[in-house]
Amino acid sequence: MESKLRELLSDAELLGFYEQMVLSREFEESCAEQYTKGHITGFLHLYSGQEAVAVGTTAGLQKEDYILSAYRDHAQAIVRGADPNRVMAELFGKATGICKGKGGSMHLFDPKLNFMGGYAIVAGQFPIAVGLAFAAKLKQEERIVTCFFGDGSMNQGNFHEALNWSRVWDLPVLYICENNFYGIGTVVQRASALPALHRRTCGYDIPSEKVDGMDVIAVYEAVKRAAAWIRERQRPYFIEAVTYRFRGHSMADPATYRSSAEQEIWRSRDPIPNFAKRLIDEGITDQAALDEIDARCTARVEEAVRFAEESPWPEDSAVWEDIYV
Amino acid sequence: MPHLNMVQAINQALAQEMERDDRVVLLGEDIGKDGGVFRVTEGLWERFGAERVIDTPLSESGIVGTAIGMAAYGLRPVPEIQFLGFAYAALDQIFTHAARIRNRSRGRYSCPMVIRTPYGGGIKAPELHEESSEALFCHMPGIKVVVPSGPYHAKGLLLQALRDPDPVLFLEPTRLYRMIREEVPEGEYTIPLGKARVVREGKQVTVVSWGSMLERVLKAVGPEAEVIDLMTLSPFDAETVLASVRKTGRAVVVQEAPKTGGFGAEIVATIAEEAILYLRGPVLRVAAPDVTMPLPKLIDAYLPTMDHISNAVQEVLRY
């Protein structure tokens, strides 16, 4: 059978997409378990269901490009290359965490990977992305700044200020809206005057498109195209990835505002089994090989949990560290 | 009398005032259909409808700004900010407009609104979800700052705040939301703003506190201490504090916010100005260090503990 996928990517890359999505899912589901056990505290926002967006986007970028995210940031950090052990340890609050166990779930940060942070304040990351892009422009370094955000954040002033500035100054910002339809429990139609979110950029003359955020290949192709466009023109671009979170807003949210029928429909669009089926249908792999990947990801996450459990707590004196220069 | 926690007491106060005064409207993120992230407004949307319990888009500046407009028009809006750390996005509206409408209009308009928000540490979430930045708001003239320390006072203070002619920031200590149950009268009652209360009388040292620290203070200190719950931070009841200090000759101030520029400093300065000749020794502050709120193990190393409080009390008793 003719494989459309093989025209785009090598088998290794395709299986890599699958593995990253599975790793992200396993990681998040394991986080839920660790939260229930009381090993992870505070607020925990899980990414299950949205994996295709992080994987497809990250694959479409270069290593020197910057990435910023919101508070649902574990998968984005891991897909970018953050060590799952250290991310899990961060969620546990251990000294070996990626931010020394002091930042927690919502504030992952790994400058070595140009992963410039998860931001707990909704829309807080927008102006920072603009600033990074401006700095890249002034220093004449060719980088795209990619800014992940949710549908809810588009109603904050920061969003509008950032979009305007990035177009006034023509900055290389790639906006990735992860539209999962809910800002906590408020559905997008009750919060946005124009629920077709990608159309909201026209006021800033920023081109935009909508993509199926449950399809990793669709996201990858859109981002790769957009990234090339931005690199050529040095101008901002906007992608709305339509997706769905399978869990509540956070572990504290029972998510009673969504009907089970609605959730069923989206579960049937789960990006992982659908991509697995496509890989098999196009003859790229077989179920046994995918099972092996699944098992590897499970083991990887188990190792991360073990690492986090066995890691030491920060010393009390760490409270005083990294405060003032 | 029913035993309620603070969430239930606040919910009851809101419902009763909405029943009594149809100018009262609530607005905020997820407060309506969803009942609020801490369930404080649960059931009010069903009872009073979507036009009085308004689900807003995610925009704190918009929530407060809109409330200012509603207030100037004659309504009594009650904006909810989901966490105090999210109010920073609304500081522009709070500081530059809400706090100044009365002055700016030379008394012709006011801004009767109550900004409710959970705040403070002890829920094992990091930085912005746990901070105690009440001093910022106390510094700004034109806005009252109220902090209940338990369900009974939460209801009475909130009912009073809802009838106040000026903007009130009503800070609800998140750690206490479901921790303490108290007898709360079902009927209406108010507790005046700007008045502190002597929680426990003592002769040798005055311990001043508010909000979630009060519960720790009461456990940490003995009968030698006179414990004062400020309840309103701005304007704060200096007379009650000074009368106590003149009697005991010693004072300790306990706050969970970082030390520098915290509200405790204002109390210490007032004691220094007004009662220094009554003092037998230094006035001590028990406070969090001047650092960002960490997660989660280090919260115990950050927030003032009962040991910190009792050590400070013992220290001043040496004089």
Side-chain angles (χ1 to χ4, degrees), chain A residues 41-43 90-93 101-107 120-122 152-153 155-157 183-186 190-191 253 256-257 313-320 323-324, chain B residues 29-30 33-34 37-39 45 50 55-61 82-83 85-86 89 123-129 289-299 301-302:
Chain A
T41 59
F43 299 98
E90 184 62 37
L91 305 193
F92 276 55
K102 293 165 70 178
S105 161
M106 294 179 273
H107 307 103
I121 292 296
V122 172
S153 67
N155 305 315
Q156 292 274 18
I184 304 192
T186 303
R190 298 180 65 222
D253 172 18
T256 49
Y257 43 83
W313 292 105
E315 298 292 331
D316 284 0
S317 59
V319 163
W320 298 96
I323 301 300
Y324 301 115
Chain B
E29 293 158 11
D30 290 293
K33 197 175 175 199
D34 206 33
V37 289
F38 288 103
R39 323 304 308 159
W45 188 77
D55 277 321
T56 66
L58 262 162
S59 45
E60 288 78 12
S61 183
Q82 222 160 54
F83 289 86
F86 302 179
I123 56 167
K124 296 196 181 294
E127 42 161 311
L128 291 154
H129 291 73
D290 293 329
V291 304
T292 310
M293 175 65 98
L295 176 96
K297 171 70 163 52
L298 292 174
I299 281 175
Y302 175 93

